[in-house]
Amino acid sequence: MSTGAQFGYLIAAICFILALKGLSAPKTARYGNWAGAAGAVIAVAVTLSVGHLQHLGLILGAVAVGAVIGVPAATRVKMTAMPQLVAIFNGVGGGAAALVALIEFLTVASQSSKIAMGDQAATVFTVLVGSVSFAGSMVTFAKLQELMTTRPVVLPAGRWISGAVFVAAVGLAVAGLPVRSTGLLVTLLLVSLGLGVLFVLPVGGADVPIVISLLNAFTGLTVAASGYVLGNTLLIVAGTLVGASGTILTRLMAAAMGRPLTGILFGAFRASVAGPAAAAQNRPVRSGTPEDIAILLGYARKVIVVPGYGLAVAQGQHTIRELADLLTARGVKVAYGIHPVAGRMPGHMNVLLAEANVPYESLLEMDEANMELSSADVALVVGANDVVNPAARTSPGAPIYGMPILNVDSAAAVVFCKRSLRPGFAGIENELLYDPKTTLLFGDAKESLSKVVAAVKAL
Amino acid sequence: MANQIGGMGLLTIFVLAVFVGFEVVSKVSSTLHTPLMSGANAIHGVVLVGAILITGVSSGPAQITLGLIAIVLGTVNMVGGFVVTDRMLRMFSARRGEERR
């Protein structure tokens, strides 16, 4: 490859580093993303122009097909469904890397018989981890899209099956090192796909975002390994950057949920106990009419809104903002308490509320929100459940035990806007629903909020 | 193909990149976790470059077919990733713009 091309790749690598740096700070985030896109354009342009490429027409056609699929998907997806889309994008990336390694293997196999150990190791690594990432991402997609249950799927003897498949995959990978057998590599690919599925199945719904982040790091490393196979420095740098930063990010996310990573990945195996769920069905709850809620809110001094995924699903962001504006006009102090993992991914809720033009300064991060909650008259919980569930503090057996939560129970009164008494994404009963100071407002978040808005206007 | 710089050189680049990767995202507010993950996700779409290079030197229908599939997948990853990240970030900056006014 020419020096010019190498230089182009260096520029692209610098762009990627600046992109990650930029994305880490709110002011520069958008520029960061543009820097990344610029790097990508440079990298592809350089690759296409170094010449010596056959099948150029087919290649450009395939790029066009990819763009025609990717761009509309990215521009049309609802913001609530974004985590799924990121999971798919991540999966196809891992799949692409595995295919690249496979093709290089086939090509080299047909040309020479000499085996370079480093290349071979990188090839099996790419095929193994890339396939795990692909299959795992597809299962996370199915979970987030609710094509399958969001609860942990624990197969009978699941730990042994997963263990056996893992050993089989590693065994095949090691066996594949000294020999050049296409059959072996394809078998490895298939077994790794199975491993990816088994890896994600036992992960509970609320932890899925962390798994996406982890698989994202996996794909990064896969891309780096495929870069080693191809002797391409850009792939190594870009893939490694994502692998390393993705690992850090995964740890940050896990820390935000107060859970060790191993607990998330293997937690379902031990915590398959359903917790205090079952018996609770017929306990009394206090439900209120929109008018009751309006009086409660309208004469409060301080209201903290705790929005959750249910709000976003009902597209109620704009209604909640209308309600907040009305209350503010009446002299009520209104702020939003945002749990780091509110929604389906860390930071997801901030994106959703931004979409509804909620002022930035009224969004409180968790510590701040908890301070405000203790002096609040009403905590209005809309479509959230797990992130306010006191079981995280009080019941060591619960899957979310140890997760930092918003202490809405420290407010003088709590209003829950919920569709039903059904437990949240993590599948755990919330004791707070039965607390005497809690009032429930059943129904679709947007509909019931509109009724409350009307009732506040009538006060 | 791996021998222009040599295995050791590539390994050196890898190790240094690990440190850079750790360093650049050591402090991130949780607000930005989602866009950062999405942006990093788009960056590994650069596997497209590998897919193009390998397809461009392939012969044989199996390799070319697999290569073209890899190119489609890589493009979806890269292009879709940057577009969806920009969409998320646009919402943050649009709001900031309003505050200034």
Side-chain angles (χ1 to χ4, degrees):
Chain A
M1 189 161 294
S2 68
T3 313
Q6 293 288 4
F7 190 71
Y9 282 164
L10 179 60
I11 303 283
I14 292 171
C15 286
F16 290 151
I17 295 173
L18 293 177
L20 287 174
K21 188 80 197 159
L23 280 164
S24 312
K27 274 188 188 157
T28 53
R30 209 168 171 206
Y31 303 112
N33 190 49
W34 288 342
V41 170
I42 293 171
V44 173
V46 165
T47 309
L48 289 173
S49 62
V50 288
H52 326 303
L53 290 177
Q54 292 167 299
H55 325 299
L56 200 57
L58 285 174
I59 289 174
L60 290 174
V63 170
V65 171
V68 166
I69 299 172
V71 173
T75 46
R76 285 194 201 144
V77 67
K78 282 195 187 139
M79 274 296 147
T80 43
M82 204 183 42
Q84 292 91 302
L85 192 71
V86 175
I88 289 213
F89 286 163
N90 178 54
V92 296
L99 285 178
V100 167
L102 185 65
I103 302 162
E104 170 74 5
F105 176 85
L106 294 174
T107 309
V108 175
S110 63
Q111 283 165 358
S112 77
S113 58
K114 201 166 117 283
I115 298 174
M117 208 53 170
D119 289 4
Q120 193 79 355
T123 303
V124 282
F125 179 86
T126 310
V127 170
L128 200 170
V129 183
S131 307
V132 168
S133 187
F134 177 78
S137 297
M138 292 308 143
V139 178
T140 53
F141 169 77
K143 285 196 180 213
L144 288 167
Q145 192 71 28
E146 300 189 359
L147 298 175
M148 59 178 286
T149 173
T150 58
R151 294 187 176 216
V153 176
V154 184
L155 303 170
R159 195 202 303 234
W160 300 108
I161 299 175
S162 305
V165 174
F166 177 74
V167 170
V170 173
L172 280 168
V174 173
L177 282 181
V179 290
R180 180 162 284 158
S181 153
T182 308
L184 204 61
L185 203 64
V186 172
T187 316
L188 175 65
L189 190 141
L190 295 175
V191 171
S192 306
L193 287 175
L195 183 62
V197 173
L198 291 170
F199 175 65
V200 180
L201 274 183
V203 175
D207 293 333
V208 165
I210 296 188
V211 173
I212 300 180
S213 176
L214 186 67
L215 291 174
N216 188 35
F218 276 13
T219 306
L221 290 178
T222 314
V223 171
S226 74
Y228 187 92
V229 175
L230 296 175
N232 185 300
T233 49
L234 178 64
L235 292 197
I236 296 184
V237 173
T240 311
L241 282 174
V242 176
S245 61
T247 310
I248 296 276
L249 186 57
T250 308
R251 289 189 49 195
L252 287 175
M253 284 187 190
M257 299 181 74
R259 317 201 46 197
L261 203 50
T262 46
I264 291 164
L265 297 179
F266 308 110
F269 287 125
R270 58 175 167 71
S272 49
V273 240
Q281 292 307 333
N282 292 317
R283 289 163 56 190
V285 292
R286 191 172 65 169
S287 67
T289 64
E291 289 72 25
D292 300 336
I293 311 290
I295 290 168
L296 200 57
L297 293 174
Y299 293 102
R301 274 162 303 153
K302 193 189 320 181
V303 173
I304 305 288
V305 180
V306 178
Y309 186 69
L311 174 79
V313 168
Q315 292 293 310
Q317 307 96 300
H318 299 275
T319 322
I320 194 80
R321 196 200 163 196
E322 197 186 344
L323 178 62
D325 289 350
L326 269 177
L327 292 175
T328 312
R330 289 179 60 91
V332 183
K333 197 175 162 215
V334 184
Y336 299 78
I338 312 290
H339 192 276
V341 295
R344 289 279 161 95
M345 283 207 290
H348 195 185
M349 188 51 65
N350 302 68
V351 174
L352 295 170
L353 289 177
E355 195 185 12
N357 291 320
V358 170
Y360 190 69
E361 62 269 27
S362 60
L363 303 184
L364 308 179
E365 289 202 11
M366 195 160 58
D367 296 336
E368 210 182 335
N370 275 337
M371 278 193 305
E372 294 289 325
L373 273 167
S374 54
S375 62
D377 300 300
V378 186
L380 175 62
V381 183
V382 189
N385 195 353
D386 297 329
V387 296
V388 298
N389 192 339
R393 289 197 315 258
T394 54
S395 81
I400 57 165
Y401 182 69
M403 177 171 100
I405 58 162
L406 286 163
N407 302 319
V408 292
D409 49 346
S410 65
V414 183
V415 175
F416 264 95
C417 228
K418 260 176 93 45
R419 272 215 296 243
S420 66
L421 279 178
R422 211 165 60 95
F425 201 48
I428 314 149
E429 190 71 37
N430 192 344
E431 282 300 314
L432 195 56
L433 296 175
Y434 307 100
D435 193 285
K437 71 177 172 194
T438 300
T439 312
L440 280 97
L441 179 61
F442 285 114
D444 172 82
K446 187 176 178 179
E447 245 170 64
S448 24
L449 283 174
S450 317
K451 285 182 198 155
V452 175
V453 166
V456 170
K457 277 184 188 157
L459 279 181
Chain B
M1 243 179 151
N3 294 323
Q4 218 170 29
I5 308 183
M8 232 19 244
L10 296 176
L11 194 63
T12 310
I13 292 173
F14 168 75
V15 173
L16 294 179
V18 169
F19 282 94
V20 176
F22 281 157
E23 205 52 45
V24 285
V25 295
S26 50
K27 298 182 291 288
V28 195
S29 124
S30 65
T31 319
L32 282 172
H33 281 177
T34 295
L36 178 62
M37 165 160 53
S38 178
N41 180 41
I43 289 176
H44 69 50
V46 76
V47 67
L48 170 62
V49 164
I52 292 176
L53 284 173
I54 192 81
T55 311
V57 296
S58 287
S59 49
Q63 278 102 311
I64 294 174
T65 310
L66 290 175
L68 292 175
I69 294 173
I71 291 177
V72 172
L73 296 181
T75 312
V76 170
N77 184 181
M78 177 187 274
V79 179
F82 283 119
V83 172
V84 83
T85 310
D86 190 60
R87 238 185 100 192
M88 283 180 224
L89 294 171
R90 198 162 57 213
M91 288 171 187
F92 288 107
S93 46
R95 186 189 47 210
R96 238 179 264 120
E98 272 175 22
E99 275 165 27
R100 263 184 235 119
R101 263 175 250 144

